[in-house]
Amino acid sequence: MAESKQKSQSSEKRRKRNYLSDGISRKKFVEGPGIWVSCVKGKEKQTVGELYDLFDSIAADIWPIENPESPETRSEVEISREETELSIEEQIKAEVTAFKRPKSEQRLTSCQTNTPCVVFISCKSPLDPVHLVETHIRNVKLTGTARTRYCHRFVPVSATCYTDLSDIQTLCKSLLERHFAHDDGSSTHTYKIELRIRNHNTLTRSAVIEAIAECVPETYKVNLTHPALFVLVEIFKSVCGMSISTDYYTLRKYNVMELANDFAQDGNAEGSRIPQA
């Protein structure tokens, strides 16, 4: 009896680990596409919460939910008007039906990193991590308001793979092919590989850079100061994430704190990292 109770408690604990304290689901492993975000130490949970609010707000404008008539998107006025026309029994029946109805698929999910100062938010289609991040970063550059309290730097990840050189090359070729779809190869361009490695000691930095460089077309030459193209690579434990950017330096390496400070130092209004109440 006691053993059965312990197993039940253990199973309950495992289920609880898959959710944050506010009921937001999270994955056990980092899986892209998604967004890496560095944050204030000890504020990782709060960072996840404010990122959900931020990304949901931006995504709603860029990728609106397709079914506007779903129960989740109807206004409180409409629901209230319908409820007043129903009897108590009909209202209870309607509530039970709504409870059983599957909710719309969640487009953002926090992934466990078990690492201080860094969180990862996984994105589902049609959300594009690069477009999502750059939209936010351009808004910060324009207004000086970061809309977050604990976030420092954002790094979008278009796709992920295991930290195997052949897999990394396959992923890189796939992303570059999409980016070069409209490039006829007649002109010469420049590029730079921006690599960050965390909690990983199997692959060396030079080996990863060399493997990725082999995938870049010959018409692209390395330029470490003012490249036209950036290959962003994030290695975390056994996962490698990658994306392509053309405005990485222009947007201050997606660092919202630096952009907000730049806005304030330029004499624009009152620079602020978060919106004032």
Side-chain angles (χ1 to χ4, degrees):
M1 187 74 176
E3 183 179 353
S4 176
K5 185 176 181 181
Q6 289 178 350
K7 288 183 178 179
S8 177
Q9 291 176 343
S10 176
S11 177
E12 183 67 20
K13 287 181 179 179
R14 285 196 297 270
R15 285 197 296 270
K16 286 183 178 179
R17 289 195 191 102
N18 292 330
Y19 294 86
L20 300 177
S21 59
D22 54 4
I24 297 175
S25 64
R26 62 182 178 184
K27 296 181 179 180
K28 289 186 176 180
F29 306 101
V30 171
E31 182 181 8
I35 301 167
W36 284 106
V37 182
S38 60
C39 63
V40 176
K41 186 175 182 179
K43 299 295 184 180
E44 293 80 11
K45 185 181 296 186
Q46 293 90 330
T47 299
V48 170
E50 64 183 14
L51 286 174
Y52 271 100
D53 292 338
L54 173 66
F55 291 152
D56 273 333
S57 174
I58 299 174
D61 292 333
I62 304 175
W63 304 279
I65 297 176
E66 294 183 357
N67 182 11
E69 296 300 324
S70 66
E72 291 81 5
T73 59
R74 287 159 58 203
S75 69
E76 294 182 3
V77 175
E78 292 174 335
I79 296 174
S80 177
R81 186 184 301 114
E82 289 182 7
E83 289 180 346
T84 57
E85 299 172 355
L86 300 176
S87 66
I88 295 177
E89 291 78 6
E90 291 173 328
Q91 290 181 32
I92 294 175
K93 184 178 179 179
E95 290 178 1
V96 172
T97 302
F99 179 77
K100 292 182 178 179
R101 185 187 295 113
K103 294 183 179 180
S104 56
E105 189 175 16
Q106 191 170 358
R107 303 194 290 184
L108 298 167
T109 306
S110 170
C111 298
Q112 292 185 22
T113 64
N114 298 321
T115 302
C117 304
V118 62
V119 301
F120 185 84
I121 304 295
S122 176
C123 303
K124 288 187 178 180
S125 180
L127 274 62
D128 178 359
V130 177
H131 189 19
L132 189 63
V133 168
E134 291 196 346
T135 298
H136 172 53
I137 297 300
R138 293 183 193 282
N139 288 337
V140 176
K141 185 176 182 179
L142 180 65
T143 65
T145 302
R147 297 176 63 185
T148 54
R149 187 182 298 273
Y150 306 112
C151 299
H152 291 170
R153 182 171 172 265
F154 296 70
V155 180
V157 170
S158 297
T160 57
C161 67
Y162 287 109
T163 49
D164 174 82
L165 289 180
S166 61
D167 288 348
I168 291 175
Q169 286 187 319
T170 300
L171 175 60
C172 183
K173 290 176 182 178
S174 174
L175 294 179
L176 288 175
E177 284 177 3
R178 276 186 269 169
H179 184 79
F180 296 145
H182 304 290
D183 186 357
D184 59 9
S186 60
S187 58
T188 301
H189 305 283
T190 57
Y191 78 98
K192 179 182 180 181
I193 300 171
E194 286 280 347
L195 171 64
R196 182 184 295 268
I197 300 178
R198 293 189 181 98
N199 299 0
H200 177 87
N201 54 18
T202 302
L203 298 178
T204 64
R205 184 179 183 85
S206 58
V208 174
I209 292 177
E210 182 177 346
I212 294 175
E214 292 176 359
C215 304
V216 181
E218 294 182 357
T219 54
Y220 277 72
K221 306 301 180 183
V222 175
N223 186 322
L224 302 181
T225 54
H226 297 94
L229 180 76
F230 296 88
V231 181
L232 308 181
V233 186
E234 292 279 327
I235 291 181
F236 176 79
K237 297 182 178 179
S238 61
V239 178
C240 174
M242 197 177 304
S243 62
I244 308 296
S245 172
T246 56
D247 299 313
Y248 186 61
Y249 280 176
T250 304
L251 298 177
R252 299 284 280 172
K253 299 183 178 181
Y254 302 146
N255 190 312
V256 292
M257 293 185 66
E258 291 188 7
L259 286 168
N261 290 335
D262 289 347
F263 186 90
Q265 292 174 4
D266 288 342
N268 297 299
E270 288 187 3
S272 175
R273 292 188 54 222
I274 57 175
Q276 300 299 315

